[in-house]
Amino acid sequence: MNIIFLGAPGAGKGTQAEIVAQKFNIPTISTGNIIREALKTGTEMGLKAKSYIESGKLVPDEVVIGIIKERLEKGDCGNGFILDGFPRTIPQAEALDAMGIVIDKVVDIEVPDECIMERMTGRRVCGSCGASYHLIFKKPAQDGICDSCGAELVQRKDDAPDTVADRLSVYHEQTEPLKSYYSDKNRLGIVDGLGDVADITERVLSVLEDKA
Ligand code: AP5
């Protein structure tokens, strides 16, 4: 099954994508993670993306479309995949269509803006393996230390309050129109993103069972 997770920054796309990917045994492709990895290793693409990602702006379409094209050609996508954070603009969605990729379901996780700030500013990520935590909602066993690999937890630069506000306005302006794009294609399923992670997973799975 080919799935897209749509939603505002901090809506819980990454959290849900990871759970669903394990259940269906398909890979999650997160453009945010791919770009952050390139930034960490200092590749040419990472250097190009740095100023955009750190200021909460979208990386130019041609860069992310190139990333996705290359990633979808890998063998592990044969039985399906989850796109987490792509597409984020209409031209990106059109590029996916032009690649001949058929999307079975688009899951839109809805969380009001006023709840996003608490989620984002409380998020901490492992500087080494990338695992994600939250100061209140998903605490590590030992403060500031990753449960998986023991490395230090850090705050993403783009999780600073001002940058979160910028990311939210970019979302409303450039990404939200994708809801109509996929609704017109009868592919959109809307999920209430408030509540326990496990309850939200149940809602996501029921939208996926209702595959158009
Ligand atoms: P990206 O990494 O994709 O950021 P995002 O979409 O803003 O996603 P986040 O990881 O911030 O949020 P999420 O919805 O995955 O939430 P999560 O599950 O982590 O992109 C970063 C940047 O890269 C962009 O700004 C852009 O510059 C660039 N980029 C990436 N893709 C691009 C593209 N296609 N085009 C152009 N540029 C692109 O949850 C957030 C927090 O909330 C966590 O701490 C979690 O523990 C907590 N949480 C989750 N669920 C719950 C719950 N139910 N209750 C309470 N807390 C919860």
Side-chain angles (χ1 to χ4, degrees), residues 133-145:
Y133 300 85
H134 193 282
L135 293 179
I136 300 165
F137 305 121
K138 194 185 171 195
K139 290 183 179 183
Q142 195 185 338
D143 278 354
I145 302 294

Side-chain angles (χ1 to χ4, degrees), residues 9-10 12-15 31 36 57 59 85 88 92 123 167 195:
K13 302 180 295 296
T15 302
T31 36
R36 276 187 292 278
K57 293 198 182 74
V59 173
R88 258 181 158 93
Q92 290 180 18
R123 173 165 55 190
R167 287 165 70 192

Side-chain angles (χ1 to χ4, degrees), residues 49-114:
K50 188 174 172 19
S51 63
Y52 296 98
I53 197 165
E54 288 184 352
S55 63
K57 293 198 182 74
L58 293 184
V59 173
D61 285 339
E62 64 272 20
V63 176
V64 272
I65 290 167
I67 292 173
I68 283 294
K69 211 169 186 174
E70 199 177 298
R71 180 61 186 87
L72 288 177
E73 279 165 8
K74 294 201 173 153
D76 63 344
C77 294
N79 290 329
F81 52 81
I82 297 177
L83 292 179
D84 165 19
F86 184 96
R88 258 181 158 93
T89 63
I90 299 283
Q92 290 180 18
E94 289 170 345
L96 203 54
D97 292 343
M99 286 175 220
I101 304 288
V102 177
I103 297 298
D104 298 298
K105 200 83 201 181
V106 178
V107 182
D108 173 45
I109 305 181
E110 297 260 322
V111 173
D113 284 6
E114 52 273 25

